[in-house]
Short mmCIF file of all heavy atoms in Angstrom, two decimals:
data_model
loop_
_atom_site.label_atom_id
_atom_site.label_comp_id
_atom_site.label_asym_id
_atom_site.label_seq_id
_atom_site.Cartn_x
_atom_site.Cartn_y
_atom_site.Cartn_z
N ASP A 146 4.90 5.32 -4.82
CA ASP A 146 4.95 6.60 -4.14
C ASP A 146 6.42 6.98 -4.07
O ASP A 146 7.25 6.18 -3.63
CB ASP A 146 4.41 6.45 -2.70
CG ASP A 146 3.05 7.11 -2.53
OD1 ASP A 146 2.44 7.49 -3.53
OD2 ASP A 146 2.60 7.21 -1.38
N VAL A 147 6.75 8.19 -4.47
CA VAL A 147 8.13 8.67 -4.39
C VAL A 147 8.20 9.79 -3.36
O VAL A 147 7.46 10.77 -3.47
CB VAL A 147 8.63 9.17 -5.76
CG1 VAL A 147 10.08 9.65 -5.64
CG2 VAL A 147 8.53 8.06 -6.81
N SER A 148 9.04 9.61 -2.38
CA SER A 148 9.25 10.66 -1.38
C SER A 148 10.63 11.27 -1.58
O SER A 148 11.51 10.67 -2.22
CB SER A 148 9.11 10.11 0.03
OG SER A 148 9.97 9.00 0.23
N VAL A 149 10.84 12.45 -1.02
CA VAL A 149 12.12 13.15 -1.12
C VAL A 149 12.47 13.70 0.25
O VAL A 149 11.65 13.73 1.17
CB VAL A 149 12.08 14.26 -2.17
CG1 VAL A 149 11.91 13.69 -3.57
CG2 VAL A 149 10.98 15.28 -1.86
N ALA A 150 13.70 14.17 0.38
CA ALA A 150 14.18 14.70 1.66
C ALA A 150 14.02 16.21 1.71
O ALA A 150 14.20 16.91 0.71
CB ALA A 150 15.64 14.33 1.87
N GLY A 151 13.65 16.71 2.90
CA GLY A 151 13.58 18.14 3.14
C GLY A 151 14.50 18.51 4.30
O GLY A 151 14.70 17.70 5.22
N TYR A 152 15.03 19.70 4.28
CA TYR A 152 16.05 20.10 5.26
C TYR A 152 15.62 21.38 5.98
O TYR A 152 15.91 22.50 5.51
CB TYR A 152 17.39 20.29 4.56
CG TYR A 152 17.86 19.03 3.87
CD1 TYR A 152 17.56 18.79 2.53
CD2 TYR A 152 18.56 18.06 4.57
CE1 TYR A 152 17.94 17.62 1.90
CE2 TYR A 152 18.97 16.88 3.95
CZ TYR A 152 18.65 16.66 2.62
OH TYR A 152 19.04 15.50 2.00
N PRO A 153 14.95 21.25 7.12
CA PRO A 153 14.50 22.44 7.86
C PRO A 153 15.64 23.38 8.23
O PRO A 153 15.43 24.60 8.33
CB PRO A 153 13.85 21.84 9.11
CG PRO A 153 13.44 20.46 8.70
CD PRO A 153 14.48 20.00 7.74
N GLN A 154 16.85 22.84 8.43
CA GLN A 154 18.00 23.66 8.83
C GLN A 154 18.29 24.77 7.82
O GLN A 154 18.83 25.82 8.16
CB GLN A 154 19.23 22.76 9.00
CG GLN A 154 20.45 23.45 9.58
CD GLN A 154 20.29 23.81 11.06
OE1 GLN A 154 19.53 23.16 11.76
NE2 GLN A 154 20.98 24.85 11.50
N THR A 155 17.91 24.53 6.55
CA THR A 155 18.18 25.54 5.52
C THR A 155 17.40 26.84 5.76
O THR A 155 17.72 27.87 5.17
CB THR A 155 17.83 25.01 4.11
OG1 THR A 155 16.43 24.66 4.08
CG2 THR A 155 18.65 23.77 3.78
N HIS A 156 16.41 26.79 6.65
CA HIS A 156 15.63 27.99 6.93
C HIS A 156 16.47 29.05 7.63
O HIS A 156 16.12 30.24 7.62
CB HIS A 156 14.41 27.63 7.80
CG HIS A 156 13.40 28.72 7.88
ND1 HIS A 156 12.67 29.15 6.79
CD2 HIS A 156 12.99 29.50 8.93
CE1 HIS A 156 11.86 30.13 7.16
NE2 HIS A 156 12.03 30.36 8.45
N LEU A 157 17.59 28.62 8.24
CA LEU A 157 18.46 29.56 8.95
C LEU A 157 19.54 30.16 8.05
O LEU A 157 20.35 30.97 8.50
CB LEU A 157 19.11 28.85 10.14
CG LEU A 157 18.14 28.30 11.19
CD1 LEU A 157 18.92 27.69 12.35
CD2 LEU A 157 17.19 29.38 11.70
N LEU A 158 19.55 29.76 6.79
CA LEU A 158 20.50 30.34 5.84
C LEU A 158 20.09 31.78 5.51
O LEU A 158 18.95 32.19 5.75
CB LEU A 158 20.53 29.50 4.56
CG LEU A 158 21.08 28.08 4.67
CD1 LEU A 158 20.83 27.32 3.37
CD2 LEU A 158 22.57 28.10 4.99
N PRO A 159 21.00 32.55 4.94
CA PRO A 159 20.61 33.87 4.45
C PRO A 159 19.40 33.76 3.53
O PRO A 159 19.24 32.74 2.83
CB PRO A 159 21.85 34.36 3.70
CG PRO A 159 22.99 33.64 4.36
CD PRO A 159 22.44 32.29 4.73
N PRO A 160 18.51 34.74 3.52
CA PRO A 160 17.23 34.63 2.79
C PRO A 160 17.36 34.15 1.35
O PRO A 160 16.57 33.32 0.89
CB PRO A 160 16.68 36.06 2.85
CG PRO A 160 17.26 36.61 4.12
CD PRO A 160 18.62 36.02 4.23
N GLU A 161 18.36 34.64 0.64
CA GLU A 161 18.50 34.25 -0.77
C GLU A 161 18.84 32.77 -0.90
O GLU A 161 18.28 32.06 -1.74
CB GLU A 161 19.58 35.11 -1.42
CG GLU A 161 19.63 34.97 -2.94
CD GLU A 161 20.61 35.97 -3.56
OE1 GLU A 161 20.47 37.18 -3.30
OE2 GLU A 161 21.50 35.50 -4.29
N GLU A 162 19.75 32.29 -0.04
CA GLU A 162 20.12 30.87 -0.07
C GLU A 162 18.95 30.00 0.38
O GLU A 162 18.69 28.93 -0.20
CB GLU A 162 21.32 30.62 0.83
CG GLU A 162 22.63 31.20 0.32
CD GLU A 162 23.78 30.84 1.24
OE1 GLU A 162 23.94 29.63 1.54
OE2 GLU A 162 24.50 31.76 1.69
N ALA A 163 18.24 30.42 1.41
CA ALA A 163 17.09 29.65 1.90
C ALA A 163 16.03 29.53 0.82
O ALA A 163 15.43 28.45 0.62
CB ALA A 163 16.51 30.32 3.14
N ALA A 164 15.79 30.60 0.09
CA ALA A 164 14.80 30.58 -1.00
C ALA A 164 15.25 29.63 -2.11
O ALA A 164 14.43 28.91 -2.71
CB ALA A 164 14.60 31.99 -1.54
N ARG A 165 16.58 29.64 -2.40
CA ARG A 165 17.09 28.74 -3.44
C ARG A 165 16.90 27.28 -3.02
O ARG A 165 16.48 26.45 -3.83
CB ARG A 165 18.56 29.05 -3.71
CG ARG A 165 19.13 28.22 -4.86
CD ARG A 165 20.43 28.79 -5.41
NE ARG A 165 21.46 28.91 -4.37
CZ ARG A 165 21.93 30.06 -3.91
NH1 ARG A 165 21.45 31.21 -4.36
NH2 ARG A 165 22.87 30.08 -2.98
N GLU A 166 17.20 26.96 -1.76
CA GLU A 166 17.02 25.59 -1.27
C GLU A 166 15.55 25.17 -1.32
O GLU A 166 15.23 24.04 -1.69
CB GLU A 166 17.54 25.47 0.16
CG GLU A 166 19.06 25.59 0.30
CD GLU A 166 19.80 24.42 -0.33
OE1 GLU A 166 19.22 23.32 -0.43
OE2 GLU A 166 20.96 24.60 -0.74
N MET A 167 14.66 26.10 -0.97
CA MET A 167 13.23 25.79 -1.04
C MET A 167 12.81 25.57 -2.50
O MET A 167 11.95 24.72 -2.79
CB MET A 167 12.41 26.91 -0.41
CG MET A 167 10.94 26.59 -0.22
SD MET A 167 10.68 25.19 0.92
CE MET A 167 11.01 26.01 2.50
N GLY A 168 13.44 26.29 -3.41
CA GLY A 168 13.15 26.09 -4.83
C GLY A 168 13.54 24.70 -5.30
O GLY A 168 12.83 24.08 -6.10
N TYR A 169 14.67 24.22 -4.79
CA TYR A 169 15.10 22.85 -5.14
C TYR A 169 14.07 21.83 -4.66
O TYR A 169 13.73 20.86 -5.36
CB TYR A 169 16.45 22.54 -4.52
CG TYR A 169 17.61 23.36 -5.05
CD1 TYR A 169 18.71 23.65 -4.24
CD2 TYR A 169 17.60 23.86 -6.35
CE1 TYR A 169 19.78 24.40 -4.71
CE2 TYR A 169 18.67 24.62 -6.83
CZ TYR A 169 19.75 24.88 -6.01
OH TYR A 169 20.80 25.64 -6.48
N LEU A 170 13.57 22.03 -3.44
CA LEU A 170 12.56 21.10 -2.89
C LEU A 170 11.28 21.16 -3.72
O LEU A 170 10.69 20.12 -4.05
CB LEU A 170 12.28 21.45 -1.43
CG LEU A 170 11.27 20.55 -0.71
CD1 LEU A 170 11.73 19.11 -0.70
CD2 LEU A 170 11.05 21.05 0.73
N LYS A 171 10.88 22.37 -4.10
CA LYS A 171 9.67 22.52 -4.92
C LYS A 171 9.85 21.83 -6.27
O LYS A 171 8.90 21.21 -6.81
CB LYS A 171 9.40 24.01 -5.13
CG LYS A 171 8.19 24.34 -6.03
CD LYS A 171 6.88 24.03 -5.34
CE LYS A 171 5.71 24.75 -5.99
NZ LYS A 171 5.53 24.51 -7.41
N GLU A 172 11.05 21.89 -6.82
CA GLU A 172 11.32 21.24 -8.10
C GLU A 172 11.15 19.73 -7.98
O GLU A 172 10.60 19.08 -8.88
CB GLU A 172 12.75 21.58 -8.55
CG GLU A 172 13.08 21.09 -9.96
CD GLU A 172 14.50 21.46 -10.38
OE1 GLU A 172 15.27 21.97 -9.54
OE2 GLU A 172 14.85 21.18 -11.55
N LYS A 173 11.60 19.15 -6.88
CA LYS A 173 11.45 17.70 -6.68
C LYS A 173 9.98 17.32 -6.53
O LYS A 173 9.53 16.29 -7.06
CB LYS A 173 12.24 17.25 -5.45
CG LYS A 173 13.75 17.27 -5.67
CD LYS A 173 14.53 16.64 -4.52
CE LYS A 173 14.61 17.54 -3.32
NZ LYS A 173 15.51 16.98 -2.27
N VAL A 174 9.22 18.15 -5.84
CA VAL A 174 7.79 17.88 -5.69
C VAL A 174 7.09 18.00 -7.05
O VAL A 174 6.28 17.15 -7.43
CB VAL A 174 7.16 18.84 -4.65
CG1 VAL A 174 5.64 18.69 -4.65
CG2 VAL A 174 7.73 18.56 -3.27
N ASP A 175 7.43 19.01 -7.79
CA ASP A 175 6.81 19.20 -9.12
C ASP A 175 7.19 18.07 -10.07
O ASP A 175 6.44 17.75 -11.01
CB ASP A 175 7.24 20.54 -9.72
CG ASP A 175 6.65 21.73 -8.97
OD1 ASP A 175 5.69 21.52 -8.20
OD2 ASP A 175 7.16 22.86 -9.15
N ALA A 176 8.35 17.44 -9.83
CA ALA A 176 8.78 16.32 -10.69
C ALA A 176 8.01 15.04 -10.37
O ALA A 176 8.10 14.07 -11.13
CB ALA A 176 10.28 16.09 -10.52
#
Side-chain angles (χ1 to χ4, degrees):
D146 252 11
V147 180
S148 54
V149 294
Y152 301 92
Q154 187 71 26
T155 60
H156 193 66
L157 300 183
L158 294 171
E161 191 173 306
E162 290 183 53
R165 184 163 58 248
E166 291 292 335
M167 190 63 75
Y169 294 151
L170 181 59
K171 177 72 161 56
E172 187 179 7
K173 288 188 284 187
V174 172
D175 291 344

